[in-house]
């Protein structure tokens, strides 16, 4: 049996990041905790997957970019979460536009405009619709050849599937893989509200933490949870509020 992929988790020491790292369902993946202000080349060496937490200090993140991107340049996966400044250092991305964030659409039953693409993509073997349908912080324009997995039709910046993207997989900009989103699951999971964000975090860990073909058809996963109990933060209580 092959060894499981080696996963790193880049964080800035904020409360929500530490709470996520303390969650048993996250710890099941045995992430290497990398503290951004002190991160150096050696911290990223040998990783198969790197999760770049949301809401990191933009200057520190840009400074660490050459080292963290080496994971992807050497054939691994780098997952870049939302509420991060990515222009100027993230390969391939052609634009990041501001967008209105509607936190409460679910209370009125309104359509928040989120749409899923490529239903046969392997990602949907690990992510549910609820995992990507809560809210977002900006619109991405992926590079040519990348696979847009989620977009919104609620904005007016161009063709939604190419210029209003919320999650994409990029296999063309590096020797490995970049997964980029404008959703911020670590913040909401660590803050212990919005179960959809928890599902996204757990789903990304499953998707990138299993050795499986990057391409190929798969059956969508209907009711996904993490590798451990569905918890919020570091305790064992089930999530009961939020979306």
């Amino acid at each position: 049996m092959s060894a499981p992929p080696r996963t790193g988790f880049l964080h800035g020491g904020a409360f929500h990041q530490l709470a996520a790292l303390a969650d048993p369902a996250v710890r099941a993946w045995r992430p290497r905790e990398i503290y951004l202000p002190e991160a150096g080349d050696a911290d990223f060496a040998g990783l198969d997957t790197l999760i770049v937490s949301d809401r990191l200090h933009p200057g520190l993140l840009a400074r660490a970019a050459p080292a963290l991107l080496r994971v992807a340049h050497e054939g691994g996966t780098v997952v870049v979460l939302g509420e991060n400044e990515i222009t100027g250092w993230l390969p391939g991305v052609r634009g990041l536009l501001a967008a209105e964030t509607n936190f409460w659409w679910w209370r009125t039953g309104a359509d928040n405009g989120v749409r899923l693409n490529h239903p046969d993509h392997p990602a949907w073997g690990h992510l549910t619709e609820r995992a990507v349908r809560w809210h977002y912080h900006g619109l991405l324009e992926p590079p040519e050849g990348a696979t847009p997995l989620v977009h919104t039709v609620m904005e007016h910046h161009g063709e939604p599937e190419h210029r209003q993207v919320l999650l994409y997989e990029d296999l063309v900009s590096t020797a490995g893989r970049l997964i980029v989103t404008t959703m911020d699951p670590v913040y909401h999971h660590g803050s212990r509200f919005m179960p959809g964000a928890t599902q996204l975090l757990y789903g990304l860990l499953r998707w990138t933490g299993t050795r499986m073909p990057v391409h190929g058809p798969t059956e969508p996963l209907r009711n996904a949870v993490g590798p451990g109990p569905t918890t919020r933060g570091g305790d064992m209580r089930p999530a009961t509020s939020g979306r």
Side-chain angles (χ1 to χ4, degrees):
M1 180 181 296
S2 61
R6 293 160 294 186
T7 299
F9 191 105
L10 182 64
H11 69 94
F15 77 93
H16 56 278
Q17 297 159 359
L18 298 180
L21 282 166
D23 178 359
V26 174
R27 298 214 61 78
W29 299 99
R30 299 181 179 179
R32 180 189 302 172
E33 299 180 21
I34 305 172
Y35 181 48
L36 177 59
E38 299 176 355
D41 291 353
D43 294 299
F44 304 100
L47 291 177
D48 299 297
T49 297
L50 174 65
I51 307 294
V52 177
S53 179
D54 42 62
R55 299 175 180 247
L56 293 174
H57 186 284
L60 295 177
L61 184 57
R63 186 180 70 183
L68 71 87
L69 287 172
R70 195 167 297 121
V71 175
H73 289 309
E74 293 178 354
T77 296
V78 174
V79 181
V80 182
L81 301 179
E83 288 283 74
N84 279 318
E85 178 55 61
I86 58 175
T87 54
W89 67 264
L90 185 68
V93 65
R94 294 187 289 185
L96 173 60
L97 298 175
E100 180 180 356
T101 301
N102 185 349
F103 293 96
W104 306 114
W105 60 271
W106 52 274
R107 300 191 67 175
T108 62
D111 178 6
N112 74 342
V114 173
R115 303 290 185 266
L116 280 57
N117 305 325
H118 303 284
D120 61 344
H121 191 280
W124 303 121
H126 305 279
L127 301 173
T128 63
E129 180 177 1
R130 190 184 190 192
V132 297
R133 194 170 186 265
W134 32 288
H135 68 251
Y136 50 86
H137 298 275
L139 310 172
L140 295 160
E141 184 178 357
E144 187 73 29
T147 303
L149 295 169
V150 183
H151 70 275
T152 178
V153 298
M154 295 299 285
E155 305 289 338
H156 305 284
H157 294 285
E159 188 177 359
E161 291 189 34
H162 298 284
R163 298 202 64 200
Q164 298 184 174
V165 175
L166 312 179
L167 171 67
Y168 71 82
E169 179 189 51
D170 176 4
L171 300 173
V172 298
S173 297
T174 68
R177 173 170 63 167
L178 300 172
I179 297 171
V180 187
T181 182
T182 59
M183 291 173 273
D184 53 341
V186 173
Y187 175 76
H188 291 289
H189 176 70
S191 300
R192 300 181 59 192
F193 72 97
M194 206 160 294
T198 293
Q199 290 197 21
L200 178 57
L201 177 60
Y202 289 174
L204 288 169
L205 287 167
R206 279 193 305 272
W207 178 21
T208 62
T210 54
R211 295 193 184 278
M212 60 178 292
V214 174
H215 293 296
T218 188
E219 289 296 321
L221 197 62
R222 301 300 179 190
N223 294 295
V225 295
T230 305
T231 61
R232 305 316 317 263
D235 65 22
M236 301 302 291
R237 289 174 290 176
T240 57
S241 64
R243 228 28 178 188

